[in-house]
Amino acid sequence: MESDLGHTGGQTLSDDEDNGLDDIVTEEMLWERIPETTGLERANTYYELSARIYARGQYDEALALAETARDIYTELGSVAPADGLAQAYSAIGYNLNQLKRNSEAASAMSKAVDLLRESKSPLAIDLACTLGEWCFGAKDYVKTIECMRECVQEHLVDGNESGAANDLHLIGCAHRELGNHEQSLEAFREARALFKSLKEVINVARCDQKIAHALIELGLGEEALIAAQKSLDVFVTAHDHRRETYSLLEVGKAQIITGEEQEGLDTLERVLEIATESDWKDFDFIVEIERHIAGVLRQLGRIDEADEIERRLTSVTEVTED
């Protein structure tokens, strides 16, 4: 699936005013400071060390330091600023995410978002968007939709139409994974309208490609063909060959359900040629194309050819499914 998710991030540092630490303080000095500090300063020191070690890619160690910071902030209770505990939870989340412990990462980040929203922090929206992407990556699509709906409203209130459009795009992708094609179509259409108002041509085309997919799943071939062709025109013009291939697949599928079986077969065979000759071979994508080809061959009465494709695909999917 070509989802083109857009929100990204990494463990964030608090401002020096908040953590009481100076940019010129070395990591060695921070370690030496720990036995000499207590309370809030000690928690901030652990957090700062976690952030620096995270930047080096030592996620296990950074996670342990962030968890220690969280424990101290928690023990301090109301004495500690809410943002301090939130930043510790977010640091835990980022490290867990890097360690591929996806559900734990999402749980930690969810706590950070809740704390930041309670304190009316402007950082909440960015972390909420990150949380939505993590939920999507963990295949928790229901949670993705719940999270991103709040983000849409917050972005619109802030006048950030680009942010809202990206949120809606992710909602559409989540509904698509759940097989909710009507809801997916609605989300992508809303995202498209916002992207169009911002004159973001590529993003409009990304939406058109996914709108075509939803329309095909709903059996609306004529509308799907129009949307798929629009997206294809943009990607061809932009020389975006990878996205062009995904759009071309939707064109072929739409041709088939509108009764243009031979034209659809020709298109699918063209897509297969591009996909197999490309440097970015995607085996799942290739299998999907071949399955559609087998289906249209059956419609055309070419049963033996369809059987041979499906026999080959069985050998491939035995490996990929394992």
Side-chain angles (χ1 to χ4, degrees):
M1 183 198 71
E2 194 270 319
S3 64
D4 285 340
L5 307 182
H7 299 292
T8 58
Q11 181 172 339
T12 57
L13 298 176
S14 60
D15 293 336
D16 291 335
E17 286 183 354
D18 295 331
N19 61 27
L21 299 172
D22 198 303
D23 283 340
I24 64 171
V25 174
T26 66
E27 189 174 313
E28 183 180 359
M29 293 166 66
L30 289 172
W31 282 112
E32 292 173 351
R33 181 177 291 181
I34 287 175
E36 304 169 358
T37 58
T38 59
L40 185 57
E41 187 178 357
R42 189 180 181 88
N44 289 337
T45 303
Y46 273 109
Y47 174 77
E48 175 72 13
L49 279 167
S50 172
R52 294 193 186 195
I53 291 169
Y54 173 92
R56 293 208 305 268
Q58 295 172 245
Y59 305 120
D60 282 310
E61 185 178 355
L63 172 61
L65 291 165
E67 288 175 332
T68 302
R70 174 205 57 195
D71 293 343
I72 298 171
Y73 285 126
T74 302
E75 289 171 6
L76 290 169
S78 59
V79 175
D83 285 5
L85 182 57
Q87 70 183 12
Y89 271 118
S90 70
I92 290 168
Y94 280 116
N95 282 290
L96 288 168
N97 185 61
Q98 292 291 343
L99 293 167
K100 309 302 180 187
R101 293 162 61 180
N102 297 333
S103 60
E104 294 172 82
S107 177
M109 187 61 80
S110 182
K111 291 174 182 175
V113 170
D114 289 344
L115 286 165
L116 290 170
R117 281 189 168 142
E118 285 176 16
S119 65
K120 311 295 183 184
S121 170
L123 296 175
I125 183 65
D126 290 336
L127 292 187
C129 290
T130 298
L131 173 60
E133 283 204 11
W134 288 0
C135 291
F136 187 91
K139 299 185 178 181
D140 188 346
Y141 303 120
V142 173
K143 178 68 174 177
T144 300
I145 293 165
E146 291 174 358
C147 182
M148 300 317 294
R149 277 178 179 159
E150 289 190 60
C151 293
V152 171
Q153 296 307 315
E154 290 178 36
H155 275 137
L156 289 175
V157 168
D158 292 341
N160 184 350
E161 292 188 344
S162 180
N166 280 299
D167 299 339
L168 286 161
H169 183 272
L170 187 53
I171 289 171
C173 290
H175 276 303
R176 171 173 162 166
E177 292 298 325
L178 291 168
N180 302 332
H181 300 299
E182 290 185 0
Q183 295 94 323
S184 174
L185 178 61
E186 180 182 358
F188 286 130
R189 280 177 166 165
E190 288 183 46
R192 184 190 192 279
L194 289 172
F195 283 132
K196 185 176 180 182
S197 71
L198 297 166
K199 303 188 185 302
E200 295 187 19
V201 179
I202 293 294
N203 284 330
V204 168
R206 289 170 61 214
C207 291
D208 280 330
Q209 182 256 320
K210 295 175 180 66
I211 286 169
H213 176 90
L215 289 166
I216 288 165
E217 293 296 326
L218 293 169
L220 302 172
E222 295 291 346
E223 292 180 59
L225 189 56
I226 292 169
Q229 188 62 56
K230 283 181 178 179
S231 70
L232 181 62
D233 290 343
V234 171
F235 296 140
V236 168
T237 303
H239 295 271
D240 189 334
H241 300 303
R242 184 168 187 172
R243 289 194 177 112
E244 174 187 339
T245 307
Y246 287 114
S247 291
L248 196 58
L249 173 63
E250 303 303 341
V251 169
K253 288 157 60 180
Q255 288 171 325
I256 292 165
I257 66 172
T258 57
E260 302 172 43
E261 288 89 353
Q262 186 58 54
E263 292 86 347
L265 177 60
D266 293 342
T267 301
L268 292 177
E269 288 178 337
R270 180 181 163 199
V271 175
L272 182 62
E273 182 180 357
I274 295 169
T276 53
E277 291 181 356
S278 172
D279 292 336
W280 47 269
K281 285 184 177 61
D282 181 338
F283 239 97
D284 290 337
F285 184 53
I286 291 169
V287 168
E288 180 185 356
I289 300 164
E290 291 236 53
R291 280 182 173 149
H292 286 297
I293 289 174
V296 72
L297 285 171
R298 288 194 183 282
Q299 289 180 241
L300 293 169
R302 295 161 62 176
I303 307 301
D304 290 344
E305 294 173 73
D307 287 343
E308 173 58 19
I309 290 173
E310 290 175 354
R311 185 196 65 76
R312 285 192 294 100
L313 293 184
T314 299
S315 298
V316 173
T317 53
E318 281 178 2
V319 176
T320 57
E321 287 174 1
D322 287 344

